[in-house]
Amino acid sequence: MKSKLIRKISMMLVFSIVISVLMPGASFAATTVMYFKYQPIGPYEYEPVIDGYVYTKDPASVSVRANNSDNSVTLITTKSYGEPLYDDNNTQYSVLRYYFADSNMVQAPLSLTVELEGSTYTLDLVWDSDRPNSYSYQSDLSLDLGSYRMPGNLLLNTVTASTYLPAGSDIISFTPSKMGNREGEGVVIQLPFNNSSSTTFNSDSGVVQISDFEVVDVTANSIVNITHFSLGEDGLLTFNFLYSNLLIQDHEYIVKLSATSSGDEIMLPPDGVYTASVKAGFFGNGYPPPVEGDIDDVNSVYFRNLTIGDPSAVPSATPKPSATPKPSATPEPTATQKPSVTPEPPVPTPSSNPDQVIVNGESLKNGTKDKVTVDIANGTKQVLLPAQAVEIIGDRKLELNNDKMSVAIPEAVLKKLQSMVPADKLAGAQISFAINRVSESDTEQLLNKNSNQANLNLKAAGDVYEFKLSVITADGKETTLSQFDQPITLRLKVRPDANPALLGVYYVADDGKLEYVGGQLIDGELVAELRHFSTYAALEYDKNFDDVPAHHWASNVIKELAAKQIISGISDAAFAPKQQMTRAEFATLIARTLQLTSADTAVFADVDRDNAAAGAIAAVNEAGIIVGRSATIFAPNDPITREEMAVMVVRAYAYKNGKEAEIVSSYAYSDRKAVAAWALPYIDAASAIGFVRGQDNDRFAPKQVLTRAEGAQVIYQLLKSN
C-alpha cells in the first residue's frame, strides 16, 4: 500500500511539472483552453491515468467525461486548482487541474466531452508518438493569458490612417497596479503595429524632442518629469523619470503629445488590424533606454485587434492557431468544438403574446466579446430572458435594441436581478424588461404639467418610454429592481430637426415633474446613464427670460446652460444678467457643470447646512477648486470678483480635463499691478485658454464684480473645454 502511495505521489509531481510547462506563467501568452493526456501503465504509472487542465471563468460550470470504446462513460472528477491567470480585460480565469487514475481504463477513451460555461466541446483522440499507447485530447480554442493586467485605454484617434497625430493628442492612459518600492521609473509604449506595418516616428534630425511629450498624473493633477526618452522600431516609445518623481501605484496617467509639439512627430500606420501595449515599472539598470524585458508583467496592458482607418478596407483577420503543448507526429484528427465559434446575434423566440418576445439561453451564447445584442421590433412591450442569463452572458453587457431606442444592461445589474430569487426558485424564473411607449396624447399631457413655468417651450424630441426591470418566478411572483448598482446606458433616437444645444434626457415623474439626467448627442441619439427605471424622455428645453432678449450677447449661452439645468433665473421670468454673481452662485455653477456632490455640508462656519448652496460649496471645496476667505469663512453671499473667478475656473478646468491650463505668456493688462499676487498666474492661464479677456483700454479689472451674464459665459467655456 505504501509503495502504491509513493508511486502515485511521484506521478502527481511529474504531472505538476508537465502542466507547469504547458500552461503560461507570468508572461502574456496564448494557451490552449483545454488539454488532457492519457498515460497507460508504464515505468512511471501504476495505473492508467488521464491528466490535464481546463481554463474557465466559471469553475462550477465545468464537467469532464471520458467516452470509452465500449460505449460506457467515465466521469473525470478528481481535480485541484492552480494559480488563476487573467486576459487583456483583467477577467480572471481559474485553472482546474485534473488527475484521474483508474485500473479499469486499459484503453484510451475515444474522446472526452467537456461542459464549459454553458457550451459542450468534444475533444478527439490524438496519438502521442513519443510514448507507446499514449494519447492527447486538445481543444483548438485558445486564450491570451498572463498575470493581472493594469487598467488602461488607448486614446489614439484611429479613424484616419497614415496621418500624423496632431499636437496635443492623447496617446494612452494607464494605472500602475501592485508596484514595489523601486518601480515606477519609466514607461515602454508599443504603438500600433502588426507583421507588415507599424506606427513610425519622423526620422528627420531634431524633429522629435523630449519637449514634444507630456506624462500627466491625472490623479495628482501634475506633470511627471521626463528625464530621458528614446524611439525604437515598430513604434516603440520609452520614457525615464526622475527618481524623486516616480510613477505612483493606483494613480491614473496619460501620455500625450504636448500642445507645443509640431504635429509631425508620430505617423499612424495604414488601414489594418494592429496590436499596442503599455508597460510601466522598474527597468533594472536604471539607465536609459528602459529595458522592456525587466518590467513586471502585472504593470502591462495590451490592446489587440485594433482597427485603424476604414474598417471596410481591412481584410479579414486570419484566425490565430491555438498553442499546441505537444504536437502529434501523425496527422490524426484534431479536437473539434461545438458550437461554431462564429458569433450570431441572439434570435428572440416567437411568443403567443404578440407584444412579448422570449430569448432562450442557447441564443444568448452568441454575440461579441463585449456584448450580447437582442434586436426587438417596435411595439414590443416585454422581453423575457432566463434568470440564469448572467452565467451565459458573463462579463459582457446585454443590449436590447429597436430602431428608436437601445438599453445596455451591465453584468452587475443582471447579477442583482438573479440574487432577488431564492436559489430553490431559480429554475423557471425569468428576467423581464418591460417597455411601454407613452402615447403622443399622454406625452402632451405630461409636458403640459410644466406649462406653469413662464417662457418655457418644452417639446419631445423623440418617443417617450416607461421602462421596468424585474424578475418573475415560475409561480408568477414579480419583484422589481428599483435602483441599479451600476448605471444602465440608454440611447434615445431624436428628431433631426431638434436643436442639439437644448436637448437632454429627463426623468418624468407621475406628476409631470422633470428631473434632468443629462445626455450626450452621438450620431443622432441622446446617450445617458440611468440609476433607476421609470419614464424617460428626450426633450428640447427652450427657456426664455424677459430680460435676456434674443439679441443679448449672452442669450444663446444662457439658453443652453438653462437647458442643461446648470443655471436658472432669479425667477421664472427674469434672469437679471447685470446683477452681481455671488461666490455661492459661482460655486454652484461649477458643481453642476462638473457633476460634483458631497455628503458633508458643514465645511465652513458661515455656510449653514440648510443653505441651498451648502452641498455645492462643500463638493467644490473637496475637489480643491475653491477655498474660503479663511479656513472657516467662505463668505457665500459676497459678490465674486473677476480675479477670484479666474482662480476658481482655472482650477475647475484642470479638474475637468486632467491637465493644467498652459500659460503661454504673461498678459500685459494695463492694470496688472492691481492684481493680487496669488491671482496673477490664474489670470494668465484663464486668458491663455480663452476663458477671460480684458475690458476697455486693455484692463482686466481684477477687483470688479462678476455679473450673472459674465458668469454664465465663463461657465459655458468651462463646459465646452477639453
Side-chain angles (χ1 to χ4, degrees), residues 138-154:
Q138 176 182 335
S139 168
D140 59 3
L141 192 66
S142 65
L143 285 167
D144 284 323
L145 294 177
S147 53
Y148 180 85
R149 324 302 297 175
M150 67 177 173
N153 290 291
L154 190 70

Side-chain angles (χ1 to χ4, degrees), residues 397 406 408 410 484-492 505-507 515-520 526-533 536 595:
K397 285 188 176 182
S406 168
F484 310 142
D485 293 336
Q486 287 187 14
I488 284 178
T489 303
L490 172 67
R491 305 176 75 98
L492 293 175
V505 174
Y506 288 80
Y507 156 57
E515 181 181 311
Y516 180 70
V517 176
Q520 183 178 3
L526 266 181
V527 183
E529 293 190 335
L530 313 181
R531 288 287 181 176
H532 63 84
F533 265 166
Y536 289 91
Q595 298 180 350

Side-chain angles (χ1 to χ4, degrees), residues 230-247:
S230 65
L231 311 175
E233 295 181 356
D234 295 335
L236 193 68
L237 176 63
T238 59
F239 297 115
N240 267 106
F241 308 125
L242 280 175
Y243 192 74
S244 60
N245 195 201
L246 300 183
L247 302 179

Side-chain angles (χ1 to χ4, degrees), residues 642 669-671 693-701 704:
R642 284 168 55 83
Y669 293 116
S670 61
D671 55 353
R693 58 184 180 182
Q695 298 182 346
D696 295 339
N697 300 320
D698 292 326
R699 294 170 54 253
F700 182 75
Q704 185 174 308

Side-chain angles (χ1 to χ4, degrees), residues 583 601-608 617 621 627-636:
R583 285 168 54 83
T601 56
V603 178
F604 296 102
D606 61 341
V607 180
D608 190 83
I617 292 171
N621 176 259
V627 292
R629 293 275 170 80
S630 71
T632 58
I633 301 300
F634 181 73

Side-chain angles (χ1 to χ4, degrees), residues 26 41 84 126 143 150 202 217 234 258 262 319 324 346 435 475 517 657:
I41 295 174
V126 177
L143 285 167
M150 67 177 173
N202 195 319
D217 184 336
D234 295 335
S258 66
S262 59
T324 305
I435 322 159
D475 58 6
V517 176
N657 299 300

